[in-house]
Each structure stands twice: as C-alpha cells, then as structure tokens.
Amino acid sequence: MNLSLSLRDLPVVVLGGADASRQALARYRKAGAKIAFFDSPEAYRAAVALPGRPALVAVVGGPDGHDGTHDGDWSPVLDHYRALGVPQVSEPAAGPRGHVTLVGGGPGSRGLLTVDAVEALRDADVVLFDRLAPWRELEGLTTARLIDVGKLPGHHRVPQDEINRLLVDYALYGVDGRPANVVRLKGGDPFVFGRGAEEAAACAEAGVPVRVVSGISSSIAVPAAAGIPVTHRNVSHSFTVISGHAPLTDAEHLHLAGLAAEGGTIVVLMGVANLPHLAAGLRRAGLSPATPLAVVERGHQAGQRTTVTELGTAEPDTAACGNPAVIVVGEVVRAAAATGLAGGVTREDLEGFASAFMMESSSGTRR
C-alpha cells in the first residue's frame, strides 16, 4: 500500500544520529514539515519544549541498517507517542560518506529503475547524472545536490576524465569539505558502453570504495518497448550488441553479416549517425537486402517512435531518425507486428511470419 501524506507546516519529530539522519531531515524539510530533531534520548529529555502531539515520529536507522524502532534507549519516547496515537515510521540512514555508487538508470523511464537504484538515489548527498538517464525524475527521488555532467548522444560537454575527477573529489570532500555519498547515474547499465569500468577504476585508484548497481540495458528494453524480442524460438537464437559511435571495419561487417545470416539479431546502440555506413557495409558483406531493420527512437519515453524497413532501403527510410535510438537488424523485427507496437509492418507480413513460425515449429527446424 502506498500512502501520500502532506506534512507541510505540520510538526514532525525525528529521532536518530546526526549524520545518519542528514538525508531524512532533508526529505522532511523538503516536504515543508516543522521538524523537532533529537540525536539522542538524552537530548530529547533535556529539551525545554517538545511537540505535544506531532503529526509523525520518524526513527532513523544506524549505519548497520537497524531501523532503531525498538531500540531500548528510545523505547520510552516511542511508547509515549504511541500512547497518544501518533504514527511512527522508520527511516533509512543516509548513505556512507566517502563512497561512490555507479547506478544504471535504464533507458530513461522511472518505472524501469531498480529498487536498488531508487534506494541509492534516496541515500545520496551528490548525484552526477547525464541526459541518457531518467534525470527529469530526480527531484522526486533524492534531496542530493544534482550535477549535470551533460552527456548526450554524440555530445559530451564534460570530458570523461573530468567526470572521474569529480566523482573522487565529491566522495572525499563533498560540498562542505566533508566526505559525501556520491551516486553516478547513467543511462542503461553502467558496464554496457557506459564507461562505468573507467569510473570504478578511477575511484579505486584514489582509494574510494565503489559499488555498482546494474541497470536495465537499452539493448533489450528499447526493442521490447516496440514489441521486438531480441531472440525468438525458431527465429533467432542469439543477439549481438555493438556500439554505433564509430564506423565499423569491413571485417566487423563480415562478422556481423554472418551472425545475422545464421539467425542472429544485431542490436546497435547510439548508431543513427552511422546507420548508412552500417547498412551499406552489411550489404557488401553479403547480408540480404530483404533483412528486416528497425530504428526505435526514445524507447520507454514520451515521443517513442519506431521505423521498420529493410536493409536494402534503410538509408532513405531512416533519414529522419535521430538519437537516442536503438537499431535492430534481423528477422525478429517482424515479430513487432504481433504486438501492434511498431509501425511499418503490414498484416500480410504478420500472416506470413506466423505461418513461417508454425511450419518451422511442426518440422522441428530452426533458423
């Protein structure tokens, strides 16, 4: 059950260690509550004025994750407010200082953030984000200082070396000279063309502990948003993910064409600018011009659009496409018609595709 409660101008008692409570206090301040904070039972007992009947009592957990609700020292305080019928909640402790968490934000939708990702953002003091992550949602997910490092497809306003330095500096010195809990929020998964390993190495070299929270890779999630499975029984038994930032070599085109011809799916990330080079290279390498190709733009985001075509006409048919986008090459593209989520596939295509499935399933053959 999710409950929404407005705390604006209402008294809230927060109990917990000063440092462990820093994020919880920030959240209640942001909600507009009138906070009475006590970092120890002694401080509570010594207080001259106490809220008679607050709207809420929040107990902040310690560094070990214990929620503190039944801690013996706080029991008299909690029992007092419980007898008055005051609701009580447990709040997690703030994240450890001097620590970096690399968080995969998925393809950009808040709904595709993992539970670990949401919790890491909640506990952060500083968040460095790029525009491939769900950055528009951050105001509702964290009270941390937000730093836009400006990464967009094909445009990196802040160089990677500078991002590495910022991660280490904020972890060690924070925004007030004290170590901070830092989150680096990235699109997709940090270790899938995300340069997360470089950031982890920079932290390790500086002696900063680092943790990785895996994210849902756009290589799978974005095609799925358009109804395209990257594998399908009797159609595709493998998929290969490549970066489209730079043009491929003839040898790479030949390798990919061979995989696609044998039932593999090719998924290209960040490759719209080099799509003409890719399509021409695959044709030269012998891949049939009739091979289905799709470009899914802004997957799982507002304005999502899918363009379905064939390898032989990819250049003119996708000329209006732009990043962020994922390119899919292979017979699985036709499966999008079954969901009705992708345009450009006719009913005749769907009927032919379904017939091929049934024939192959009954004969036990496999592409």
Side-chain angles (χ1 to χ4, degrees):
M1 182 190 307
N2 290 322
L3 297 177
S4 178
L5 175 66
S6 174
L7 294 174
R8 181 162 297 281
D9 295 327
L10 294 179
V12 172
V13 172
V14 180
L15 310 173
D19 198 54
S21 301
R22 65 186 190 276
Q23 294 302 337
L25 291 169
R27 288 191 289 273
Y28 285 113
R29 291 191 189 102
K30 187 174 181 179
K34 295 180 178 179
I35 300 170
F37 172 60
F38 305 99
D39 63 3
S40 68
E42 293 75 20
Y44 178 87
R45 289 192 291 267
V48 175
L50 294 171
R53 194 181 187 284
L56 188 71
V57 173
V59 183
V60 180
D64 60 355
H66 175 54
D67 65 17
T69 302
H70 302 292
D71 186 283
D73 291 339
W74 284 118
S75 291
V77 180
L78 298 174
D79 290 343
H80 167 71
Y81 286 117
R82 191 176 294 114
L84 295 176
V86 177
Q88 299 178 9
V89 297
S90 297
E91 288 281 358
R97 291 185 181 273
H99 188 281
V100 170
T101 304
L102 306 180
V103 173
S109 166
R110 176 172 179 162
L112 292 181
L113 284 169
T114 66
V115 173
D116 280 356
V118 172
E119 291 179 351
L121 289 167
R122 176 199 65 197
D123 298 340
D125 297 305
V126 178
V127 175
L128 281 72
F129 68 95
D130 60 44
R131 297 302 178 96
L132 296 176
W135 59 275
R136 293 181 179 86
E137 311 289 344
L138 286 173
E139 287 290 342
L141 291 170
T142 185
T143 56
R145 172 172 292 192
L146 303 179
I147 299 173
D148 181 0
V149 294
K151 280 201 170 186
L152 287 164
H155 175 68
H156 298 172
R157 180 165 57 86
V158 181
Q160 186 62 50
D161 287 347
E162 177 65 8
I163 293 174
N164 296 348
R165 185 190 68 78
L166 289 172
L167 286 173
V168 171
D169 283 357
Y170 277 115
L172 295 177
Y173 309 112
V175 295
D176 57 0
R178 301 180 65 191
N181 183 272
V182 181
V183 163
R184 171 71 171 106
L185 181 63
K186 309 168 75 66
D189 183 273
F191 282 7
V192 179
F193 303 132
R195 305 188 75 170
E198 297 174 46
E199 294 171 354
C203 292
E205 184 178 1
V208 174
V210 63
R211 178 171 73 105
V212 178
V213 173
S214 297
I216 297 175
S217 174
S218 58
S219 62
I220 301 170
V222 170
I228 302 173
V230 293
T231 64
H232 198 300
R233 188 170 65 89
N234 296 326
V235 177
S236 175
H237 55 271
S238 67
F239 67 99
T240 302
V241 183
I242 65 171
S243 169
H245 270 310
L248 302 179
T249 65
D250 288 343
E252 289 171 326
H253 283 129
L254 187 62
H255 175 64
L256 292 174
L259 291 173
E262 293 299 319
T265 301
I266 301 170
V267 181
V268 186
L269 305 185
M270 306 162 288
V272 168
N274 285 312
L275 196 155
H277 178 85
L278 172 70
L282 291 175
R283 292 194 299 266
R284 287 196 309 272
L287 190 58
S288 170
T291 303
L293 181 148
V295 179
V296 186
E297 301 169 78
R298 299 178 294 279
H300 288 288
Q301 300 181 51
Q304 176 179 315
R305 182 177 71 165
T306 304
T307 301
V308 178
T309 182
E310 294 181 341
L311 188 63
T313 56
E315 292 93 322
D317 290 349
T318 63
C321 295
N323 281 316
V326 173
I327 302 165
V328 185
V329 181
E331 291 296 324
V332 292
V333 170
R334 299 190 199 277
T339 66
L341 295 174
V345 181
T346 66
R347 182 175 181 82
E348 289 74 19
D349 289 332
L350 172 58
E351 291 172 348
F353 193 52
S355 297
F357 276 172
M358 289 187 289
M359 289 177 60
E360 290 171 2
S361 295
S362 61
S363 64
T365 59
R366 180 175 189 162
R367 295 189 189 186

